[in-house]
Amino acid sequence: MNGVVPLNKEIGKTSSDYVYLLRKVLKTKKIGHTGTLDPLVNGVLPICVGQATKLVNRLTNSPKEYEGEITLGRSTTTEDREGDTVEQTKLEHPIELDRLNETFQGMTGELKQIPPMFSAVKVNGRKLYEYARAGETVERPVRDIMIYDFHILGDPKFDQTTGLQTLRFHVRCSKGTYVRTLAVEFGERLNLPAFMSQLTRTKSAGYTLDDTFKLSDIESMVESGSTDFIKSIDDVLDYIPAHQLTNEEWDIKVSHGGFLDLPDADIKQDLRVTKDGVTKAIYQWDTQRKTWVPDIMLLKNE
């Protein structure tokens, strides 16, 4: 069984929980997810099975898209709705839409971000949340992230009684971005406490929510003998230009992990090499050697 399961992760379980559960449902140990989602976050979680586990890093590194909600006027220890209140400011009136849009626009492009204390980032061999739960503080590493798009969705809502303002947003961002920290930073730019009150991942590794399956759906399909929930490796990689291998290229070079000289291939980035309609490897152009070298080998059909 080889391919990617576009799972619809539900609120309440961790990404690792779903890996454990799918191992039992699919009766295989070779499984890995492509980017952690917190228990309070739902949405698209591609899970690699079999030979596709070789693609975990590649899929994890791809940009992700989310839709969520920021609450202005209150901050929490965890930067989401689960934490205790750290600071609360009652807004006398809602922040104007023009100012909100300006703030969103100011947070696109290359940014630096410090991971939240309640996260799984390791410092000196310990996860940050372990320090946080022990009441300890530690210097956190600064990350370079990319925000490709960050904008408001619909009309903001203002609660006159609580003095809190909520706004829906969409963000497309690079690997390693903590969206709840983005929510906090959004508030800081308005000189207001803020937290992320809801988040859904809407796209990952090319899959959207419409492509996903819930765990209960997968269990039912397995019981009926269907594997339609698994997307083939060729489907996952169809965005990469392909080269059809000749028998000689396959027998003498690719099957042994050798280099490829392809003078007609003018794409100097990734190249998917196939044999009999099946992807066998991903090659990359080596600028120093001036040839194609293997990056990921996908030779076996288990």
Side-chain angles (χ1 to χ4, degrees):
M1 188 175 290
N2 301 294
V4 175
V5 178
L7 183 77
N8 187 335
K9 178 193 172 298
E10 299 178 77
I11 292 173
K13 290 184 174 63
T14 67
S15 300
S16 296
D17 288 338
Y18 278 102
V19 168
Y20 170 77
L21 292 169
L22 271 178
R23 280 197 181 112
K24 295 177 66 176
V25 173
L26 303 182
K27 295 180 173 58
T28 181
K29 294 182 179 180
K30 208 169 183 181
I31 290 181
H33 67 73
T34 60
T36 302
L37 286 178
D38 293 338
L40 287 181
V41 180
N42 67 318
V44 183
L45 179 64
I47 294 184
C48 297
V49 182
Q51 286 293 310
T53 54
K54 295 178 180 180
L55 302 174
V56 164
N57 288 339
R58 172 176 287 266
L59 299 184
T60 300
N61 289 337
S62 64
K64 313 289 192 297
E65 295 187 30
Y66 301 84
E67 289 184 9
E69 180 184 80
I70 299 172
T71 295
L72 299 173
R74 175 176 171 245
S75 61
T76 71
T77 51
T78 57
E79 302 186 347
D80 58 24
R81 66 179 183 273
E82 189 176 44
D84 298 326
T85 299
V86 174
E87 182 184 357
Q88 188 150 352
T89 300
K90 185 175 182 179
L91 280 68
E92 297 299 327
H93 52 79
I95 306 299
E96 294 180 353
L97 184 58
D98 286 347
R99 190 179 177 198
L100 294 174
N101 284 328
E102 182 180 344
T103 305
F104 276 114
Q105 292 170 10
M107 293 182 68
T108 57
E110 295 181 5
L111 300 177
K112 293 188 179 298
Q113 188 179 72
I114 299 176
M117 282 299 298
F118 282 91
S119 65
V121 174
K122 285 189 175 182
V123 175
N124 299 325
R126 291 176 64 192
K127 294 178 180 178
L128 285 176
Y129 67 74
E130 294 174 339
Y131 289 103
R133 289 172 180 171
E136 302 173 16
T137 57
V138 65
E139 185 174 352
R140 289 167 282 170
V142 178
R143 289 183 169 189
D144 293 317
I145 61 170
M146 173 65 75
I147 306 300
Y148 302 98
D149 177 55
F150 195 25
H151 67 265
I152 199 166
L153 295 173
D155 296 323
K157 296 180 180 179
F158 180 67
D159 189 319
Q160 190 73 48
T161 303
T162 61
L164 298 176
Q165 184 173 8
T166 58
L167 47 141
R168 300 285 304 168
F169 68 87
H170 170 272
V171 63
R172 182 172 184 265
C173 55
S174 65
K175 171 198 172 186
T177 302
Y178 278 91
V179 182
R180 51 193 159 108
T181 301
L182 272 187
V184 172
E185 293 169 344
F186 187 90
E188 289 174 350
R189 294 190 178 215
L190 296 168
N191 296 315
L192 289 171
F195 71 98
M196 184 191 73
S197 38
Q198 189 274 324
L199 189 67
T200 298
R201 184 190 280 167
T202 57
K203 190 173 184 179
S204 179
Y207 295 109
T208 68
L209 280 171
D210 290 339
D211 301 317
T212 60
F213 298 85
K214 292 183 179 180
L215 181 63
S216 57
D217 298 328
I218 295 171
E219 290 172 332
S220 298
M221 294 171 79
V222 169
E223 288 178 3
S224 66
S226 172
T227 57
D228 289 346
F229 55 87
I230 297 183
K231 306 300 180 182
S232 71
I233 289 175
D234 296 284
D235 177 69
V236 175
L237 300 176
D238 67 354
Y239 68 96
I240 300 177
H243 169 72
Q244 305 295 327
L245 295 168
T246 64
N247 289 334
E248 181 180 1
E249 288 170 341
W250 166 246
D251 292 334
I252 298 176
K253 297 181 179 180
V254 175
S255 64
H256 302 289
F259 297 172
L260 275 176
D261 293 318
L262 304 171
D264 295 334
D266 57 358
I267 301 170
K268 299 297 187 282
Q269 42 185 356
D270 288 344
L271 187 68
R272 181 166 55 97
V273 297
T274 67
K275 184 73 170 67
D276 300 325
V278 177
T279 299
K280 294 296 186 180
I282 298 174
Y283 272 64
Q284 290 187 334
W285 176 253
D286 189 309
T287 55
Q288 293 184 333
R289 295 186 177 95
K290 302 296 182 184
T291 189
W292 292 92
V293 300
D295 178 42
I296 299 175
M297 305 303 292
L298 300 163
L299 304 181
K300 294 180 181 180
N301 293 317
E302 297 179 345

